[in-house]
């Protein structure tokens, strides 16, 4: 069992995480995995009152400074749910700190905090963008990374808020029925899904919207990854009876971006991405009543 006082201490001061022994982190990983394995691939979150708020957070990429600002905002917004859209690790200076902090929040209040899988919550991407090496530098033993893999394998892919607002990391899959088919399947049953459904999950993590485009087209991001235009987006939303889609995965100079007649909101919650590019405003989203409101972290 994890002590509450330990969770409180690292939530209060996440810089302590760098000093923790692996044995202590192991407890965090195991406890978090246990919770995620009870969840479904598509989370179904219900707001009891229309004015209940849901806070949605985009890519963090090891930007602990932005995450700590968000922690202050989480307190002020007092929302019913907080959904992280993934891409917590890779690229930034405090990847492990960000990951463990998000897991600590999950363990502390599992009915409030949700963590969806981004394309950087995979070993293959971590090998190329920093987290795997960062982890090896700290803990030396590649076998210890199995704990991280177990975590990645247990994460949900999408959250459906009041059956009408879909939250995910990348974009809509080519197969519109995938969301319905995935509903009710537990994350621990992911090995039972067929190849087509697995492709939809990959596209949920990787796809991007593109204005002035028809249908789905090839993406530079990889095989099976697609750009999607407004026509297929509208069809997808109609078929799944959805009002809004909230996603992350892309960085914009203005901090966030609306697409497709303000029905798709793209947010990005790291201001100091890679530390080398000029900082941009980081953003998050608030879902309240039946609308989605983009916000800038100041
Ligand atoms: Mn991404």
């Amino acid at each position: 069992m994890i002590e509450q006082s330990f969770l409180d201490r690292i939530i209060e001061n996440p810089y302590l995480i760098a000093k923790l022994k692996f044995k202590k982190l192991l407890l965090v990983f195991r406890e978090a995995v246990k919770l995620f394995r009870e969840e479904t691939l598509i989370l179904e979150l219900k707001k009891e009152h229309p004015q209940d708020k849901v806070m949605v957070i985009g890519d963090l990429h090891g930007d602990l400074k932005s995450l700590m600002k968000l922690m202050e905002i989480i307190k002020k917004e007092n929302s019913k749910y907080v959904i992280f859209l993934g891409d917590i690790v890779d690229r930034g200076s405090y990847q492990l700190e960000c990951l463990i902090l998000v897991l600590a929040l999950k363990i502390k209040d599992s009915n409030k905090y949700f963590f969806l899988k981004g394309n950087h919550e995979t070993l293959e991407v971590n090998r190329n963008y920093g987290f795997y090496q960062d982890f090896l530098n700290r803990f030396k033993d590649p076998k210890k990374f199995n704990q991280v893999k177990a975590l990645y394998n247990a994460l949900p892919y999408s959250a459906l808020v009041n059956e009408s607002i879909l939250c995910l990391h990348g974009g809509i899959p080519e197969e519109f029925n995938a969301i319905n088919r995935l509903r009710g399947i537990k994350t621990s049953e992911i090995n039972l899904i067929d190849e087509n459904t697995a492709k939809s999950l990959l596209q949920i993590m990787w796809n991007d919207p593109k204005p002035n485009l028809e249908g789905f087209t090839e993406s530079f991001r990889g095989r099976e990854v697609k750009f999607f235009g407004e026509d297929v987006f509208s069809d997808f939303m109609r078929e799944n009876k959805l009002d809004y889609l909230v996603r992350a995965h892309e960085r914009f100079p203005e901090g966030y971006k609306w697409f497709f007649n303000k029905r798709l909101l793209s947010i990005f919650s790291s201001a100091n991405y890679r530390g080398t590019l000029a900082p941009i405003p980081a953003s998050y989203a608030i879902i309240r009543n039946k609308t989605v409101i983009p916000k800038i972290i100041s």
Side-chain angles (χ1 to χ4, degrees):
M1 260 319 269
I2 293 190
E3 293 154 27
Q4 284 298 316
S5 60
F6 164 71
L7 293 176
D8 290 338
R9 231 169 34 243
I10 56 176
I11 290 168
E12 187 58 38
N13 181 9
Y15 291 98
L16 293 174
I17 292 166
K19 301 196 181 88
L20 296 173
K21 293 252 162 37
F22 189 75
K23 251 167 74 183
K24 203 82 189 182
L25 297 182
L26 191 62
L27 295 176
V28 176
F29 281 116
R30 287 202 178 138
E31 189 68 28
V33 167
K34 225 192 291 169
L35 293 167
F36 290 125
R37 282 177 67 86
E38 288 302 315
E39 295 185 339
T40 47
L41 290 167
I42 309 287
L43 299 167
E44 296 182 43
L45 305 181
K46 301 266 187 286
K47 298 197 291 163
E48 283 154 48
H49 310 288
Q51 66 271 30
D52 282 345
K53 290 193 246 178
V54 180
M55 183 168 165
V56 191
I57 297 171
D59 295 36
L60 285 165
H61 288 300
D63 180 358
L64 186 56
K65 230 167 110 183
S66 294
L67 179 51
M68 286 175 77
K69 282 186 189 169
L70 285 161
M71 299 281 293
E72 291 302 311
I73 297 169
I74 288 171
K75 277 185 209 153
K76 278 191 216 129
E77 294 278 9
N78 192 26
S79 47
K80 185 171 172 66
Y81 303 118
V82 177
I83 304 171
F84 290 90
L85 296 182
D87 280 15
I88 306 298
V89 296
D90 279 337
R91 293 191 166 122
S93 311
Y94 296 95
Q95 302 170 30
L96 185 72
E97 287 85 346
C98 287
L99 182 63
I100 298 297
L101 176 50
V102 171
L103 298 183
L105 293 170
K106 178 71 188 174
I107 296 166
K108 197 172 155 61
D109 195 346
S110 63
N111 294 319
K112 172 170 179 172
Y113 294 95
F114 296 91
F115 175 11
L116 308 182
K117 184 169 163 121
N119 59 308
H120 284 266
E121 274 75 49
T122 52
L123 171 60
E124 308 81 70
V125 175
N126 290 169
R127 278 190 200 280
N128 292 323
Y129 293 93
F131 186 53
Y132 185 66
Q133 195 54 51
D134 177 82
F135 188 94
L136 280 191
N137 293 347
R138 287 173 199 257
F139 306 115
K140 314 299 176 205
D141 181 1
K143 271 198 223 108
K144 290 181 175 156
F145 202 82
N146 288 341
Q147 300 301 325
V148 182
K149 277 203 287 186
L151 168 75
Y152 291 168
N153 289 335
L155 292 176
Y157 283 72
S158 174
L160 188 54
V161 178
N162 278 27
E163 310 232 1
S164 64
I165 301 174
L166 190 67
C167 303
L168 45 72
H169 182 73
I172 62 165
E174 281 175 283
E175 204 198 329
F176 293 172
N177 197 31
I179 299 295
N180 268 332
R181 224 153 9 83
L182 285 162
R183 282 172 83 157
I185 301 181
K186 276 188 164 185
T187 60
S188 57
E189 297 167 329
I190 193 164
N191 51 329
L192 303 177
I193 64 171
D194 62 44
E195 219 172 286
N196 267 330
T197 315
K199 183 178 148 187
S200 294
L201 289 179
L202 177 116
Q203 294 187 329
I204 283 172
M205 288 191 293
W206 283 91
N207 285 359
D208 295 297
K210 203 172 187 175
N212 310 316
L213 178 82
E214 274 176 37
F216 288 89
T217 64
E218 299 302 309
S219 165
F220 63 88
R221 288 189 191 264
R223 224 169 56 89
E224 310 275 26
V225 182
K226 296 287 154 73
F227 287 114
F228 56 96
E230 184 159 11
D231 56 344
V232 284
F233 174 74
S234 297
D235 293 346
F236 175 87
M237 298 297 276
R238 190 179 342 99
E239 223 166 277
N240 287 288
K241 300 187 178 69
L242 298 170
D243 296 326
Y244 289 98
L245 185 96
V246 183
R247 54 89 69 172
H249 198 37
E250 277 182 287
R251 186 179 182 268
F252 300 102
E254 53 281 58
Y256 63 83
K257 192 168 175 170
W258 281 110
F259 288 80
F260 309 150
N261 211 9
K262 285 203 166 183
R263 294 186 72 202
L264 186 160
L265 178 66
S266 194
I267 55 170
F268 198 89
S269 304
S270 162
N272 300 291
Y273 185 64
R274 290 194 223 194
T276 52
L277 302 174
I280 52 152
S283 63
Y284 64 97
I286 292 290
I287 298 171
R288 192 174 195 184
N289 297 317
K290 284 186 170 173
T291 60
V292 176
I293 309 149
K295 302 255 190 179
I296 292 291
I297 305 169
S298 50

